[in-house]
Amino acid sequence: MPNITFIEPSGDERVVDVPVGWSLMQAATSKGVEGIDAECGGSCACATCHCYLEGELAALVPAPAQGEISMLDSVAAERRPNSRLSCQIKMTPALEGLVVRLPETQT
Ligand code: FES
């Protein structure tokens, strides 16, 4: 099962096995990773699953759909070029080793 490294707001790193097809948000919340609220449960309606994709593997993540781009306007922390909503990114084998940094705040 491929894994993802989440960097929590504190700077702690958590390596989490993620089933293919799960969202990064599902993986993080199911493993108790700090830094994601996911108030809407993954329906791209809250922007509290904001994350920053880091490293070369980020280029392998499909581009955001229009709904995600719009919702990124509502993130609480600084929006950066590598900002994404973790509920909209599905795990694939190619993303093994992806690094995902979580922001200081989601609200
Ligand atoms: S969980 Fe609400 S937008 Fe991702």
Side-chain angles (χ1 to χ4, degrees), residues 11-26:
D12 289 347
E13 294 189 9
R14 298 275 309 275
V15 179
V16 173
D17 291 330
V18 184
V20 170
W22 279 34
S23 73
L24 301 187
M25 178 277 281
Q26 281 179 292

Side-chain angles (χ1 to χ4, degrees), residues 7-102:
I7 304 175
E8 297 178 326
S10 65
D12 289 347
E13 294 189 9
R14 298 275 309 275
V15 179
V16 173
D17 291 330
V18 184
V20 170
W22 279 34
S23 73
L24 301 187
M25 178 277 281
Q26 281 179 292
T29 56
S30 71
K31 299 291 185 180
V33 173
E34 299 285 332
I36 291 182
D37 292 353
E39 289 174 0
C40 77
S43 35
C44 198
C46 73
T48 63
C49 64
H50 181 203
C51 67
Y52 304 112
L53 303 184
E54 301 204 331
E56 294 179 2
L57 289 175
L60 300 179
V61 176
Q66 190 57 48
E68 181 183 349
I69 292 170
S70 299
M71 193 52 64
L72 281 165
D73 288 340
S74 303
V75 296
E78 177 190 4
R79 180 177 177 176
R80 301 174 186 166
N82 60 343
S83 284
R84 294 294 302 266
L85 297 181
S86 59
C87 72
Q88 299 301 302
I89 299 171
K90 297 278 190 251
M91 191 62 183
T92 68
L95 298 182
E96 158 79 28
L98 181 69
V99 178
V100 179
R101 182 178 296 275
L102 301 174

